Amino acid sequence: MKRSGGILWIDDNPDRRKRARQLGSDARIDVAFVSLKGKDVEQELLHIRRSPKPGLVIIDHVLNDTKSAEWARLGSTLVGFFRETWPGRPVFGITAAKNLKDVDVETYVYDELIDYTEFGMYTGYLPLVIEGFNKCAGVKDVEGWLSLLKCPQEEAERVKSCLPHDVKTGFDKPGYPNRAYRWFRRKCYGLPGFLYDKNWVATFAGIKRQAIAKYLKHFEGAQYTGIFNNPEDPRWWKAELYKSIYAKCKAADATCRSTQNVGNVVAKVTDSDRSECYKCHEAWPETIAYTDDSENAALKQMHLRCTVAHPRYRYEPMFEEIRMMA
């Protein structure tokens, strides 16, 4: 690694070195690739410990092409080493899609586990993760964390009420950035509630999911621009969406109408792009629900009345309830 603050990529597949170089070029960041193929992991860790402090560590989840004991053949078992060596630094796992379905509890050891087939979505994001962790290290209180989120004033108390204890305390501890990141990515960014992804923006505004790209310009003011924002997978503040569409709608009775109705007016949605319920085929479904309770069930736009609470998911206060077709 040329200097501290870059990415350290550890893998037993040397073919990924080329991808690491491409990442460095595209993201304009130093990427040091360490191949463990045929090597003793414990010995290599001693060398790695002497490396400059990286901004982020990427480690292959399955290290089965090394000369190590069985315990050292999963990247998740080595995460503790990196946490101790470089406290407060993000540690991302990476795995092939065929292995992802078999990864269970290990997922939560990493700050994030990346599906290798989707790695392209992280190219512009990884430098923002490093920048975000550096900012998190300077947080002194809850208000400081909310300011990094650029949280709308009217949402501040609601967001604060959802924060787990370990994100509302321990600001001076080295591991605070990791705790804050995992809550943000898995809850605030990962679940529809405070923030909506493109599919939920479409449903909110009464637009078919496949047509939403044509209309996103009408909602630019609501887009999330705070810490850990992924430009390849953007989000929009739900509260700002409400304010935006009702402020732009000139109809006197706008506040008495659904967001789907008003969203169609504001964005000038064509009849062919207007959303319809997957089950009853009527206009303007309000939610996104699974078609059934199977593991591979599809997600579709549906009316609340056409769905029920999904039996396999617990309701999270302040977030949208996960539902399935009735």
Side-chain angles (χ1 to χ4, degrees):
M1 189 175 296
K2 298 176 185 176
R3 58 178 182 272
S4 62
I7 294 174
L8 175 62
W9 187 328
I10 302 166
D11 209 304
D12 67 342
N13 182 354
D15 292 341
R16 289 181 177 172
R17 186 187 300 274
K18 182 178 179 181
R19 189 62 181 268
R21 288 199 194 102
Q22 190 63 47
L23 169 62
S25 175
D26 292 344
R28 299 182 181 180
I29 192 170
D30 289 339
V31 180
F33 187 88
V34 176
S35 174
L36 296 181
K37 181 178 175 65
K39 297 180 180 179
D40 184 295
V41 173
E42 293 179 78
Q43 289 298 317
E44 288 302 310
L45 289 179
L46 294 177
H47 296 303
I48 291 171
R49 188 189 290 272
R50 294 192 289 270
S51 300
K53 182 178 180 179
L56 181 145
V57 176
I58 297 175
I59 185 166
D60 187 12
H61 177 61
V62 180
L63 299 168
N64 55 8
D65 201 4
T66 65
K67 293 181 179 178
S68 298
E70 191 68 31
W71 68 266
R73 294 188 178 181
L74 282 178
S76 56
T77 64
L78 307 179
V79 171
F81 166 83
F82 299 112
R83 298 251 190 261
E84 180 181 346
T85 304
W86 300 304
R89 293 293 86 195
V91 181
F92 282 21
I94 189 166
T95 187
K98 63 181 180 181
N99 298 321
L100 196 57
K101 64 183 180 183
D102 299 323
V103 179
D104 185 18
V105 68
E106 296 97 336
T107 303
Y108 297 95
V109 175
Y110 304 106
D111 293 305
E112 189 145 347
L113 182 62
I114 302 174
D115 179 339
Y116 186 70
T117 63
E118 298 179 351
F119 190 77
M121 292 182 61
Y122 287 81
T123 299
Y125 178 57
L126 295 178
L128 298 178
V129 172
I130 296 172
E131 177 185 340
F133 266 72
N134 291 337
K135 289 180 178 178
C136 277
V139 169
K140 304 298 182 184
D141 50 35
V142 173
E143 282 64 34
W145 169 238
L146 294 179
S147 70
L148 292 180
L149 298 178
K150 298 184 180 179
C151 181
Q153 186 174 357
E154 64 272 24
E155 288 287 78
E157 288 304 316
R158 282 164 36 89
V159 172
K160 193 183 298 185
S161 71
C162 289
L163 292 175
H165 180 73
D166 63 358
V167 178
K168 292 191 286 189
T169 60
F171 303 103
D172 58 336
K173 300 294 174 55
Y176 180 80
N178 305 83
R179 300 195 303 273
Y181 179 83
R182 290 196 294 271
W183 173 83
F184 175 77
R185 286 289 290 178
R186 293 168 187 175
K187 289 291 181 70
C188 193
Y189 213 79
L191 298 178
F194 297 107
L195 300 175
Y196 277 175
D197 65 9
K198 291 179 183 178
N199 291 328
W200 274 92
V201 172
T203 305
F204 174 91
I207 303 168
K208 289 179 179 177
R209 293 162 66 187
Q210 61 268 32
I212 186 58
K214 294 188 288 185
Y215 300 98
L216 286 176
K217 62 184 179 182
H218 296 282
F219 312 112
E220 289 177 350
Q223 190 162 347
Y224 177 77
T225 59
I227 194 172
F228 301 131
N229 174 42
N230 185 350
E232 297 298 322
D233 185 23
R235 295 291 187 274
W236 289 258
W237 285 104
K238 179 182 177 180
E240 295 295 331
L241 287 170
Y242 270 104
K243 287 195 299 184
S244 174
I245 66 169
Y246 284 106
K248 293 175 182 176
C249 187
K250 298 178 181 179
D253 64 341
T255 56
C256 301
R257 291 148 58 189
S258 70
T259 63
Q260 290 77 23
N261 185 310
V262 177
N264 270 216
V265 172
V266 169
K268 299 178 181 177
V269 178
T270 64
D271 290 346
S272 61
D273 289 339
R274 185 178 301 149
S275 62
E276 66 174 42
C277 179
Y278 176 77
K279 182 176 183 182
C280 72
H281 304 294
E282 294 182 9
W284 296 334
E286 311 96 339
T287 192
I288 297 176
Y290 288 98
T291 52
D292 54 56
D293 64 353
S294 65
E295 185 176 339
N296 297 315
L299 282 166
K300 301 290 184 178
Q301 292 176 314
M302 298 187 211
H303 290 115
L304 286 168
R305 67 174 182 266
C306 294
T307 66
V308 295
H310 200 299
R312 291 169 52 194
Y313 293 93
R314 185 183 67 180
Y315 173 63
E316 297 274 356
M318 307 293 182
F319 295 91
E320 302 291 346
E321 185 176 38
I322 298 177
R323 301 179 71 83
M324 59 178 275
M325 187 165 65

